[in-house]
Amino acid sequence: MGASQSKSDSEEVIFRSETPVQFSPNVVEQLSLRHASATPTPERQSTLDEHVRTRIQNEMMQLRKAEEEVQEEIRLALEKENLDREKAMAGQVKNGVGAGSVKSSAALSGDLEEIRSKITRFQTRKSLANYPELKASQEALVSCYKSHAMSSLDCWMEVVNFKNSVAQLEKEYFKTLQ
């Protein structure tokens, strides 16, 4: 049934035309020039160039996307590794192995806030605005030293007043601690 189609005909069929085929000299010259030069026509070359540019841009976009994905995977892996290391070190500290040498970021943040509040309290305590008698004796001492730059021993009375003010303030402070 289908065996006749799979057979190859060894006979060659040739068709002959009664009229001869003729080409114009321009066509023959163009074909011979095209055959002689391996470069394509400018229109064909621009089409090829555009196609190549498009493929290169597509490949670059795919490579950039792949690079971003790899960078994200690396970032996530490093983040996970750092968290695991931090947890392991925090576990060692809790078990007494590290003796406080490594803390988690949350613990460090808490310590930082505690230090900030201590600094704020220290700065408010350091302010002399709450102690007008001490501030007045300090200003008197400074102005005396400025006016008697060459004979600072003349300011002995202001020094005594300042020392007494400080001593009084210390007594009041120690009373609040008891």
Side-chain angles (χ1 to χ4, degrees), residues 72-142:
E72 182 66 19
E73 287 176 10
I74 290 171
R75 186 189 66 77
L76 290 174
L78 287 174
E79 188 176 292
K80 183 183 181 304
E81 181 181 326
N82 287 340
L83 285 175
D84 291 344
R85 185 181 307 133
E86 198 173 87
K87 286 179 184 176
M89 288 181 176
Q92 289 176 353
V93 170
K94 286 180 183 176
N95 295 333
V97 176
S101 62
V102 178
K103 294 184 176 180
S104 69
S105 58
L108 289 175
S109 177
D111 289 349
L112 184 61
E113 284 301 316
E114 182 181 337
I115 290 171
R116 282 185 183 148
S117 66
K118 285 181 180 179
I119 289 172
T120 304
R121 280 187 275 146
F122 176 75
Q123 293 294 339
T124 55
R125 267 194 249 144
K126 186 179 169 185
S127 171
L128 298 178
N130 297 337
Y131 311 105
E133 63 279 347
L134 182 64
K135 187 171 183 172
S137 63
Q138 179 191 24
E139 288 173 357
L141 180 61
V142 170

Side-chain angles (χ1 to χ4, degrees), residues 139-164:
E139 288 173 357
L141 180 61
V142 170
S143 66
C144 182
Y145 278 143
K146 285 182 180 178
S147 63
H148 298 92
M150 299 306 272
S151 57
S152 58
L153 293 177
D154 291 342
C155 299
W156 67 271
M157 186 62 135
E158 284 79 7
V159 171
V160 170
N161 288 339
F162 181 71
K163 283 183 178 181
N164 289 338

